[in-house]
Amino acid sequence: MNSEPGANEAEFRYGAALAGQIEMKWQRVWLDQGTFETPNPVGALSNGTKLDPARKLYVIDMFPYPSGAGLHVGHPLGYIASDVYARYMRMNGRTVLHPFGFDAFGLPAEQYAIETGQHPAVTTEENIANMRRQLRRLGLTHDPRREISTADPKYYRWTQWIFLKIFNSWCDPDTGRARPIGELIQEFEQGTRSAASVANPQGLPWDELDEVTRRRVVDSRRLAFLDDAPVNWCPGLGTVLANEEVTADGRSQVGNYPVLRRRMRQWKLRITALADRLSADLDGLDWTESLKTMQRNWIGRSEGADIRFQVTPDTQIQVFTTRPDTLVGATFLVLAPEHPLVPALTAAEWPPGTPPQWRGENLLGPVAAGSPSAAVAAYVARTASASDRQRQSEVPKTAVFLGSYAENPVSGTQLPILISDYVLATYGTGAIMAVPAHDQRDHDLATALNLPMVPVVRPSEQWLSERAGATADAPESWGEAYEGDGERFDSGGTAVSLDGLGAEDAKARVLQWLESYGVGTRRVSYKLRDWLFSRQRYWGEPFPIVYDETGLPIALPDSMLPVELPPTTDFRPQATDSDDPRPPLSRAPGFEMTELDLGDGRRSYRRETNTMPQWAGSCWYYLRYLDPRNDQAFVDPDVERFWMAGDGGSGRAGGVDLYIGGVEHAVLHLLYARFWHKILFDLGYVSTPEPFQRLYNQGYILADAFTTPAGRYVPAAEVVEAEDGLFYEGERVRRQYGKMGKSLKNSVSPDEIYASYGADTLRMYEMAMGPLDVDRPWQPDDIVGVHRFLQRLWRNVVDERTGQPRPAADPLPAGSQLYKLAHAVIDDVARLYRELRFNVATARLTDLNNTLTQFVLREETCPRQIAECLILMTFPLAPHVTSELWERLGQAGRIDDQPFPVADLSAIEEAYVVVPVTVNGKPRGTISIDRAATQADAVDAGLQLEAVTKAMGAKELARVVFVPGKILNLVTRDASALGGAGVGPAE
């Protein structure tokens, strides 16, 4: 039997150095030959080839922000997966488009510019160059001609163009679709649509409105509009932050600065207008149900009623509730502290008998509680320092009475009006009717402030019996709110009786009564808020908007795009708590005030000086990939239709065939991109109603992280393990587990793995670590096992002493075990690649590689047809070494052009089974064995697994549990404990 050569006699052994040479060689070949350049059907990227739209396959990843730290090994997980899939599908005759780019705008680059003075454009380009280098070493099939950066003016010209399409659109409430704003104006002029709006509250006819009022009416209907909104204001960063950019303790994710709530005039996008479609259209997408549920929950559609509570003859409070059937049980109203009616409803002095807890004495102190205005001012100031997330958390409920009352429309009861931080101005109407007997948050507040409770839904006898002393008519005895269903009762003395009705019948009766008496209307509401779209920063897309002397916005014509960022060295926003901030663009020389001819002569205008959020560029980048060199349109219609709609079959809603990315973007990015896409679809610019047909969320790579006693993370690579613990620079630290990344200081650069093993090893290891959609630990010791797979594959084909191919074996008969196994693996791996189950595919390839190794060692020849199949199957996972092996075998064509092997189904009819292997009960891999294999055959195959060898270590085999076709469990004990005992029988 031929033994494996030692390192000193293996000049052509596959190791890190040879892997690096091979990888650099094939990356040059692919680049020089344009291997990954996918043609378009028409336009600048067409090569004249007639393309079949039925064969198109569009695969992309969620593109990254170009961090200064570069990639860590967690970043490429999804990129490698999409590449494996793209290569496999290309081998199956598909025309695959697999581009890549960079989401280049964002706070980190600007913060670095503020600290160092280096322009964000310089920093960003350097970071992109480094990441491009790291990604190229992985051999990814990205078409280099299609690379984009959202910070490139040639790109954000079209981001601005799309914003103008949104600005110049409105949503027709009759169809739920976006239409050009000119059509709305035409309907106003013809009198076919009412011009009533917040700008025209009297509903005057269009021809009776002056020009400025007309503009305000139109602006109030646009899908992009200005609004005075409560926002998360971060003085330290000098900008507004989205809720997801604020931590649970009310600080900014970037820089850890305090965040306050305040009202500011901001751009918003009216995403709520399309909320129903954004929810309903999820049904046609190939997304997981859990992901669809996350989006639906974020949208938060709920049916209910707007109810008007009279305060004075001239003042009403409008409340939205999903439980109009409990209106009789409303005992107080709660407004958000920012509600616009709070100043008007705050009494001059406390009504006689106002309890101290209503005045907030214990919360605010006796001085602040001395008058309603002082108490309200103190409470509003207290709330301003809390984020929405903090206000919604499970903390003791607090409130302050305004000193005024509203009337319950059905019972006539006078309800005290309070403000509380658990009510948000951005949800519903910013006011709630509190039903403490049947809502837990209201119950908590009523209990804390001794507010009245009135039950209207009879709890079940079982529920009452489980609470000592609880009686149906005394909610104070319950200890908690009853939020279940039951008969309505105790409403006989009100304007509408609901006694004896269930929830649905009671809702219907109340809604009918409310509408008949003009004190309420049915309405669908959403938890989703209109999208806050302004940032007071420099490093973002400028708005293509100017203002005239009226202060109203005017869209710039397409010919003036792009509005480029002006050169400046002053990136720091001027942040104050009292006045609106001055964004950096307002201080850039010659930018804010400008003279333009917009069709009525040259006039002075003021530019918008806020910039768009980072989300803007990522809302449509998948469309620009299709036609990145087009300077006449954001995408050619024929190109868009080819890649997004294909042949129009299968009833597809989305265009991208596979979109891979992290679950952290499961809601906002996807929701925003879908919103933009639907507007473009309604306006006729794209051919599919949805952007992404199939979405797959990959898991995270986890790694050890280390913290000091103060909770500060320290560089994981510099932690020293001693006998008495873990230390960093002499200080004891604690180990914990977390997502690999810069914030936890536990990153591992792919450059380290390239140098130690090669890129193919990294590719295969990340695919072998576990199911793609689950988190997995980074375990450096396991990389060796994958590297040995490639070494064995190389050794099976190449003589390590000479570098020449091994002698070819005679062709194997179809009935041989190796032939049967090879075709069983072909059949399995093809299916597993389609299903993105790359870890299982790797295990099956390992089975075949191990069996082939045994053949080569025994026969000293290589069965070419088996080796070629194995090389072709491994190619999507490890493209460099397999390309080299294919060439060394003397094949005429490149492996990139070869089809995936086709299984001989007649050879695998139940011939082989896959059996899981465990060591002491813990899974260690699988083996493929003949269905009639004996226990000895199974053990021999199991002992070939790298993971089994590692798990057994110096221990010896004590017992075997083998269930044919089901499982192989190897039980071990220390060698000294065996006393010469042999392997026991199968159980």
Side-chain angles (χ1 to χ4, degrees):
M1 179 180 292
N2 183 28
S3 62
E4 296 184 5
N8 61 337
E9 54 181 332
E11 181 181 351
F12 295 94
R13 175 177 289 253
Y14 183 82
L18 181 56
Q21 296 171 17
I22 291 172
E23 288 161 6
M24 298 300 288
K25 166 189 170 180
W26 285 102
Q27 287 157 19
R28 285 192 299 271
V29 170
W30 293 330
L31 185 64
D32 292 345
Q33 297 184 359
T35 302
F36 309 136
E37 295 180 2
T38 304
N40 276 345
V42 297
L45 298 184
S46 172
N47 62 7
T49 304
K50 183 174 178 57
L51 303 175
D52 180 2
R55 307 293 299 172
K56 75 93 180 177
L57 187 79
Y58 186 16
V59 179
I60 57 172
D61 304 278
M62 294 182 184
F63 64 170
Y65 173 77
S67 166
L71 295 175
H72 60 67
V73 294
H75 286 122
L77 179 64
Y79 309 155
I80 297 168
S82 65
D83 191 71
V84 173
Y85 182 76
R87 286 180 180 275
Y88 167 73
M89 296 304 287
R90 187 178 279 113
M91 296 175 79
N92 282 273
R94 303 295 292 272
T95 303
V96 180
L97 177 59
H98 187 212
F100 200 78
F102 298 93
D103 193 9
F105 279 129
L107 276 174
E110 186 163 348
Q111 283 302 108
Y112 186 76
I114 290 171
E115 294 165 5
T116 66
Q118 180 165 284
H119 196 283
V122 175
T123 305
T124 300
E125 187 49 49
E126 290 176 353
N127 296 346
I128 287 176
N130 182 45
M131 291 181 71
R132 186 187 294 124
R133 173 194 62 79
Q134 291 178 307
L135 290 166
R136 183 183 172 188
R137 280 288 278 117
L138 283 169
L140 303 173
T141 56
H142 298 151
D143 185 339
R145 304 169 304 166
R146 298 177 187 262
E147 181 185 284
I148 59 173
S149 163
T150 57
D152 184 345
K154 294 179 181 178
Y155 179 90
Y156 69 69
R157 164 194 178 184
W158 297 106
T159 305
Q160 294 171 344
W161 181 88
I162 296 173
F163 172 82
L164 290 179
K165 296 303 171 188
I166 299 172
F167 176 77
N168 286 318
S169 300
W170 64 293
C171 183
D172 187 338
D174 299 329
T175 63
R177 296 184 177 276
R179 293 173 56 188
I181 203 74
E183 295 179 6
L184 175 64
I185 295 172
Q186 187 176 33
E187 291 187 14
F188 287 155
E189 292 172 342
Q190 295 172 348
T192 57
R193 190 173 295 274
S194 170
S197 76
V198 293
N200 179 23
Q202 294 82 20
L204 297 175
W206 183 256
D207 57 9
E208 295 183 18
L209 303 178
D210 60 50
E211 183 60 30
V212 172
T213 304
R214 288 181 178 182
R215 286 175 61 185
R216 293 185 189 279
V217 168
V218 172
D219 287 351
S220 71
R221 300 288 188 93
R222 295 181 188 273
L223 287 175
F225 63 101
L226 287 164
D227 186 33
D228 287 317
V231 297
N232 298 313
W233 169 243
C234 179
L237 292 175
T239 190
V240 166
L241 299 177
N243 286 336
E244 63 277 4
E245 296 170 324
V246 181
T247 65
D249 57 351
R251 304 183 75 86
S252 63
Q253 285 188 345
V254 175
N256 196 36
Y257 297 108
V259 177
L260 310 175
R261 295 289 289 175
R262 60 175 292 181
R263 298 190 75 88
M264 291 177 59
R265 191 157 180 79
Q266 301 284 291
W267 280 100
K268 286 185 175 181
L269 301 188
R270 207 180 303 273
I271 191 172
T272 53
L274 273 63
D276 266 339
R277 288 169 63 195
L278 289 168
S279 179
D281 291 355
L282 290 166
D283 291 338
L285 302 178
D286 300 330
W287 297 12
T288 62
E289 283 306 314
S290 62
L291 186 56
K292 292 179 182 180
T293 298
M294 289 174 69
Q295 290 236 330
R296 289 194 176 104
N297 288 344
W298 191 267
I299 294 167
R301 186 183 192 276
S302 54
E303 297 181 1
D306 281 327
I307 303 175
R308 291 176 284 280
F309 293 79
Q310 203 74 35
V311 182
T312 69
D314 301 322
T315 307
Q316 294 177 330
I317 296 175
Q318 182 165 296
V319 166
F320 175 79
T321 177
T322 60
R323 295 295 305 276
D325 56 306
T326 63
L327 176 56
V328 176
T331 59
F332 56 96
L333 299 184
V334 187
L335 276 57
E338 307 90 346
H339 195 289
L341 286 178
V342 168
L345 297 179
T346 302
E349 57 185 30
W350 295 118
T354 300
Q357 60 267 42
W358 291 21
R359 299 197 299 262
E361 283 191 7
N362 293 335
L363 180 69
L364 306 171
V367 175
S371 68
S373 59
V376 168
Y379 192 85
V380 169
R382 179 179 183 272
T383 304
S385 62
S387 68
D388 284 358
R389 191 181 304 178
Q390 287 175 299
R391 290 168 60 172
Q392 294 287 288
S393 62
E394 295 297 326
V395 296
K397 299 295 181 286
T398 61
V400 166
F401 179 40
L402 295 182
S404 56
Y405 293 83
E407 183 179 289
N408 187 317
V410 294
S411 69
T413 306
Q414 290 295 301
L415 310 181
I417 307 170
L418 301 91
I419 57 172
S420 178
D421 57 6
Y422 78 88
V423 178
L424 304 179
T426 54
Y427 181 67
T429 63
I432 67 164
M433 65 176 205
V435 186
H438 304 295
D439 182 278
Q440 190 59 47
R441 292 191 308 170
D442 299 343
H443 184 280
D444 292 344
L445 183 59
T447 301
L449 271 62
N450 197 25
L451 289 157
M453 301 187 196
V454 173
V456 292
V457 181
R458 188 184 303 278
S460 68
E461 291 300 325
Q462 179 180 347
W463 191 86
L464 289 170
S465 68
E466 293 169 351
R467 289 152 181 83
T471 58
D473 58 353
E476 298 82 0
S477 68
W478 299 350
E480 61 183 293
Y482 177 70
E483 298 179 317
D485 197 8
E487 287 188 352
R488 272 60 187 161
F489 76 111
D490 203 21
S491 63
T494 63
V496 54
S497 176
L498 307 177
D499 289 358
L501 299 180
E504 295 308 313
D505 291 339
K507 286 179 183 179
R509 183 173 294 183
V510 171
L511 286 169
Q512 182 181 14
W513 185 89
L514 290 170
E515 291 183 327
S516 65
Y517 282 86
V519 292
T521 53
R522 303 166 198 265
R523 185 162 74 89
V524 174
S525 183
Y526 302 92
K527 187 171 69 174
L528 178 70
R529 300 292 89 201
D530 285 328
W531 178 7
L532 189 65
F533 201 68
S534 296
R535 296 293 184 270
Q536 294 69 45
R537 302 301 299 232
Y538 172 79
W539 193 233
E541 299 92 341
F543 283 90
I545 294 289
V546 295
Y547 300 90
D548 62 11
E549 65 279 0
T550 68
L552 298 177
I554 299 173
L556 292 177
D558 294 353
S559 60
M560 293 186 178
L561 303 183
V563 177
E564 294 196 39
L565 285 169
T568 185
T569 57
D570 183 8
F571 307 110
R572 185 181 297 276
Q574 290 183 351
T576 65
D577 293 338
S578 57
D579 301 318
D580 283 344
R582 290 195 65 213
L585 293 189
S586 69
R587 304 193 306 277
F591 180 80
E592 184 172 13
M593 300 308 299
T594 185
E595 288 194 357
L596 302 170
D597 184 351
L598 300 182
D600 52 358
R602 197 164 185 83
R603 297 171 54 189
S604 294
Y605 296 93
R606 178 176 61 84
R607 291 190 187 273
E608 172 62 73
T609 55
N610 285 332
T611 53
M612 300 183 199
Q614 185 175 3
W615 303 104
S618 63
C619 278
W620 73 281
Y621 70 106
Y622 59 93
L623 293 169
R624 191 59 179 172
Y625 280 149
L626 306 180
D627 204 9
R629 297 184 180 179
N630 192 333
D631 60 1
Q632 300 301 310
F634 76 108
V635 61
D636 182 279
D638 290 334
V639 172
E640 185 277 332
R641 191 176 303 109
F642 176 86
W643 287 113
M644 296 294 285
D647 63 355
S650 306
R652 291 164 47 90
V656 176
D657 297 284
L658 179 62
Y659 192 28
I660 294 181
V663 72
E664 68 270 23
H665 299 300
V667 175
L668 294 177
H669 158 62
L670 293 172
L671 204 57
Y672 294 158
R674 294 177 63 219
F675 170 63
W676 278 39
H677 192 90
K678 285 184 179 299
I679 294 173
L680 293 172
F681 176 73
D682 292 347
L683 299 178
Y685 292 107
V686 296
S687 57
T688 64
E690 288 283 340
F692 314 116
Q693 181 62 33
R694 185 184 181 191
L695 179 69
Y696 197 95
N697 288 134
Q698 91 269 5
Y700 298 129
I701 286 184
L702 309 176
D704 286 338
F706 301 89
T707 57
T708 66
R712 179 175 59 89
Y713 286 99
V714 301
E718 299 176 28
V719 171
V720 177
E721 186 166 5
E723 290 185 3
D724 56 342
L726 301 163
F727 297 88
Y728 170 72
E729 295 183 346
E731 183 179 17
R732 187 179 296 275
V733 294
R734 182 171 62 90
R735 188 199 309 266
Q736 62 185 63
Y737 224 36
K739 176 185 173 184
M740 184 179 288
K742 184 168 63 174
S743 61
L744 270 59
K745 299 186 178 181
N746 60 350
S747 297
V748 176
S749 170
D751 294 334
E752 298 176 33
I753 312 303
Y754 300 156
S756 300
Y757 299 101
D760 278 339
T761 294
L762 178 60
R763 287 175 60 109
M764 282 203 73
Y765 173 61
E766 295 213 0
M767 294 300 94
M769 292 171 75
L772 182 60
D773 59 345
V774 302
D775 298 344
R776 75 285 310 280
W778 178 257
Q779 296 177 323
D781 292 346
D782 291 347
I783 300 176
V784 177
V786 174
H787 188 62
R788 286 176 180 163
F789 168 93
L790 296 177
Q791 288 181 316
R792 285 177 178 152
L793 175 61
W794 176 269
R795 189 182 304 121
N796 286 334
V797 177
V798 174
D799 186 321
E800 292 185 330
R801 298 180 182 86
T802 66
Q804 298 301 309
R806 286 186 178 274
D810 294 333
L812 298 178
S816 70
Q817 289 191 359
L818 183 54
Y819 183 93
K820 290 180 179 181
L821 174 60
H823 285 271
V825 172
I826 292 170
D827 189 52
D828 286 345
V829 169
R831 171 178 51 81
L832 294 166
Y833 277 162
R834 290 193 299 272
E835 297 172 354
L836 307 182
R837 296 172 62 196
F838 304 127
N839 61 315
V840 185
T842 302
R844 298 293 285 124
L845 293 171
T846 301
D847 293 341
L848 180 57
N849 196 30
N850 288 342
T851 305
L852 178 61
T853 299
Q854 295 174 31
F855 182 100
V856 171
L857 290 175
R858 182 177 64 249
E859 303 295 333
E860 298 189 0
T861 58
C862 175
R864 287 290 180 87
Q865 77 270 42
I866 305 301
E868 290 171 5
C869 286
L870 180 56
I871 291 169
L872 289 168
M873 286 189 287
T874 307
F875 170 67
L877 289 163
H880 307 89
V881 65
T882 48
S883 294
E884 182 70 15
L885 289 171
W886 191 258
E887 182 181 73
R888 293 198 181 211
L889 285 175
Q891 300 292 344
R894 298 182 312 171
I895 193 172
D896 302 272
D897 302 322
Q898 303 306 308
F900 197 81
V902 177
D904 180 355
L905 298 181
S906 65
I908 59 175
E909 294 173 347
E910 305 295 326
Y912 272 79
V913 291
V914 178
V915 176
V917 180
T918 62
V919 177
N920 299 323
K922 294 184 178 181
R924 297 299 178 183
T926 62
I927 55 173
S928 295
I929 56 175
D930 192 288
R931 184 169 292 277
T934 65
Q935 174 182 309
D937 295 331
V939 171
D940 286 345
L943 293 176
Q944 295 295 320
L945 295 178
E946 193 79 33
V948 169
T949 304
K950 180 180 177 182
M952 291 183 65
K955 297 181 180 180
E956 296 188 17
L957 191 59
R959 186 161 53 91
V960 175
V961 179
F962 176 58
V963 180
K966 300 293 184 182
I967 193 168
L968 171 66
N969 182 32
L970 305 177
V971 182
T972 66
R973 284 190 296 182
D974 291 336
S976 60
L978 287 171
V983 175
E987 295 184 356

